[in-house]
Amino acid sequence: MEIKRIDFISSLYWQDIPLSNELKEFCILMKDKDYHNDDLTSQLAKLLGPQDLFLGVAKEQGYENVSVSKMWVAHYNKGDTHAVHVHGPHRHDWSFILYIDCKDESSETMFYNPGFPYIDNQKVKMKPKVGRLCLFNGGLPHEVLPSTDDTRLIVSGNLIFGHDMPVGMNATYSV
């Protein structure tokens, strides 16, 4: 599978991966629940496992390990949106989106350069596709545009790239 990349001041990486039926079924089961806890994170980390994209980018950036900090499932109904936000401001904070279910007309994820809206309005839209895994620095501003359908289902999460990993991470993978 080919890893693709768009460069901003920061970089946006993505790769289309096969999804296991177990992961899909678990996400469908969790789609309308509002869980953001360590148990959910641990279950999702086991189902997703270490991804080549995570490990490859961590290695490219000079890190030895990738640790899972938090994972969750998000389901968007028609008209739902998620305003511009960031996940973590530090160089070692990374985030991802994995599209579990979507249609061709599902709403896109919009990414902006750091400093948005005060500097450089460069933006990139990421088109949802089942199995598309998108990785980005946690400080990269992004938003979900208004949903045009009710099937947009994702797993999202926060990762820490590092050398010595903090105690209490839900899963740690070595590069």
Side-chain angles (χ1 to χ4, degrees):
M1 288 181 262
E2 181 182 347
I3 296 175
K4 299 172 181 138
R5 175 177 167 169
I6 294 173
D7 286 318
F8 286 91
I9 294 170
S10 185
S11 295
L12 173 62
Y13 302 85
W14 78 96
Q15 184 176 43
D16 294 334
I17 64 169
L19 298 178
S20 72
N21 286 333
E22 191 177 13
L23 177 61
K24 286 187 223 177
E25 289 168 9
F26 182 79
C27 291
I28 290 168
L29 179 69
M30 301 304 291
K31 76 178 187 176
D32 293 320
K33 297 179 173 38
D34 189 21
Y35 295 129
H36 287 93
N37 59 39
D38 286 342
D39 186 47
L40 176 64
T41 296
S42 181
Q43 290 175 297
L44 286 168
K46 286 177 191 165
L47 289 169
L48 187 57
Q51 291 296 315
D52 291 342
L53 179 62
F54 300 161
L55 301 175
V57 173
K59 184 175 183 178
E60 174 189 295
Q61 299 287 322
Y63 293 102
E64 296 171 356
N65 298 294
V66 176
S67 288
V68 175
S69 174
K70 190 67 92 178
M71 291 175 128
W72 59 92
V73 175
H75 175 236
Y76 294 81
N77 290 306
K78 191 169 187 168
D80 288 350
T81 186
H82 195 158
V84 177
H85 63 284
V86 298
H87 291 241
H90 303 290
R91 176 175 54 87
H92 59 270
D93 293 331
W94 288 76
S95 297
F96 72 89
I97 301 166
L98 174 59
Y99 299 96
I100 301 295
D101 193 15
C102 56
K103 294 181 180 173
D104 283 342
E105 64 273 6
S106 289
S107 60
E108 297 164 316
T109 305
M110 182 78 78
F111 291 89
Y112 303 93
N113 264 332
F116 175 83
Y118 304 106
I119 59 169
D120 189 15
N121 283 343
Q122 182 183 4
K123 54 190 169 208
V124 170
K125 289 181 183 178
M126 178 60 61
K127 178 79 174 141
K129 178 182 175 187
V130 172
R132 178 154 292 159
L133 178 61
C134 181
L135 178 68
F136 52 96
N137 182 272
L140 196 63
H142 58 285
E143 70 177 320
V144 178
L145 299 175
S147 186
T148 55
D149 63 44
D150 60 0
T151 61
R152 190 179 194 279
L153 180 65
I154 66 165
V155 170
S156 194
N158 297 326
L159 308 170
I160 297 174
F161 286 10
H163 300 288
D164 296 321
M165 299 284 49
V167 175
M169 292 292 106
N170 290 287
T172 298
Y173 314 113
S174 294
V175 174

